[in-house]
Amino acid sequence: ITFSGTDATVTNDNGCLTKGDKSITVTCSGNYYLQGTATDFQIIVSTAATDTGKVDLFLNGVSLKSSDAPIYVQNAEKAELHLVQGTTNSLEDGSTRPQTHTYNNKVDTAKAAIYAKDDLSIKGSGSLTVKANYNNGIHTSNDLKIKKSTGTLNVTAANCGLKGKASLTFNGGTITVNATNGDGIKSDEDDATALAQGK
C-alpha cells in the first residue's frame, strides 16, 4: 500500500484489501507493506472469524495522519506491526472522533492512535513515532507486546501512552513515552477470570 497525499495505491492485494474514501480495510490474514505519506487516511484490519492466520503490517517508511485512528485493528486472530529496518515511520490521529464503527452489532469508537480490539504485537529495528491527540497512544483490549525489538518507539499521548488492558510485555527496544493526562504504561484488567490466568 503506497500512500500519497489524500489517496493510496494498492498492488498485489489478492482480493484482501477494500479501498474506501479515506481508508483501506484488510480483510484477510497475510503480509502488507505500508509506505509513503497521507494526510487523512487509515488502515482498518477486519478479518473473518474463520480466518485464523496473522495480519502482519510492515511499516516501511510510512507517515500516516487520520482524523480517526491511523491503524485500527477491529478483528483479527493475531496482528503484528513490523518496524522495517532502516525506516522512519509516524502515525498521528485527530483530536476528535468524527465517526464510529459498527461491527458484530456493536458501535465502537477508536480510543487510540493505534487501537486494537484484541492482541497486538510490535517488533523490528526501525523507528515509529506516535502522536495521539485524542486519547491514548497505543491501546489494546487484550495483550500488548513489544517483541524482540531493537527499534525505537516514541509515543506522545493526550491521555495514556501505552495500554494493554490484560497485559503488557516488553522484550527490547528503546521506548519513550510522554503521557499528558494519564499513565505512561497502563494495564487495568479487573475481570476475576482473566486475573486468575496470571497475567
Side-chain angles (χ1 to χ4, degrees):
I1 304 171
T2 301
F3 298 97
S4 179
T6 57
D7 202 1
T9 302
V10 173
T11 55
N12 302 324
D13 70 341
N14 293 324
C16 291
L17 299 176
T18 302
K19 186 178 177 183
D21 180 32
K22 294 183 178 181
S23 67
I24 290 179
T25 301
V26 178
T27 58
C28 315
S29 56
N31 298 336
Y32 303 91
Y33 286 79
L34 283 60
Q35 59 191 20
T37 301
T39 55
D40 193 7
F41 226 90
Q42 74 174 154
I43 296 292
I44 300 172
V45 177
S46 186
T47 62
T50 54
D51 188 338
T52 58
K54 185 172 63 167
V55 175
D56 293 279
L57 299 179
F58 290 81
L59 306 189
N60 190 37
V62 63
S63 177
L64 194 59
K65 291 184 179 181
S66 175
S67 55
D68 203 328
I71 295 180
Y72 173 36
V73 183
Q74 190 176 79
N75 188 71
E77 182 71 18
K78 293 181 180 179
E80 191 160 280
L81 302 183
H82 299 259
L83 311 183
V84 176
Q85 182 178 2
T87 66
T88 300
N89 306 279
S90 65
L91 301 169
E92 181 177 353
D93 68 357
S95 58
T96 61
R97 284 294 184 266
Q99 63 179 334
T100 56
H101 303 269
T102 302
Y103 72 102
N104 293 338
N105 297 317
K106 297 179 181 178
V107 177
D108 188 43
T109 300
K111 299 177 177 66
I114 300 176
Y115 183 55
K117 298 297 291 181
D118 209 331
D119 298 339
L120 179 69
S121 298
I122 301 173
K123 65 186 298 185
S125 58
S127 72
L128 173 60
T129 297
V130 177
K131 185 176 182 182
N133 298 300
Y134 175 68
N135 189 38
N136 298 331
I138 303 174
H139 178 163
T140 74
S141 296
N142 202 357
D143 301 327
L144 175 60
K145 299 178 181 180
I146 312 297
K147 299 169 59 178
K148 297 180 181 178
S149 173
T150 58
T152 302
L153 178 61
N154 296 295
V155 179
T156 300
N159 192 21
C160 297
L162 303 174
K163 180 176 179 180
K165 174 79 176 171
S167 72
L168 292 115
T169 303
F170 299 92
N171 286 321
T174 300
I175 303 169
T176 302
V177 179
N178 183 349
T180 305
N181 293 311
D183 299 311
I185 298 172
K186 184 173 185 176
S187 180
D188 62 356
E189 180 62 74
D190 57 5
D191 180 80
T193 300
L195 291 172
Q197 294 175 355
K199 293 182 181 178

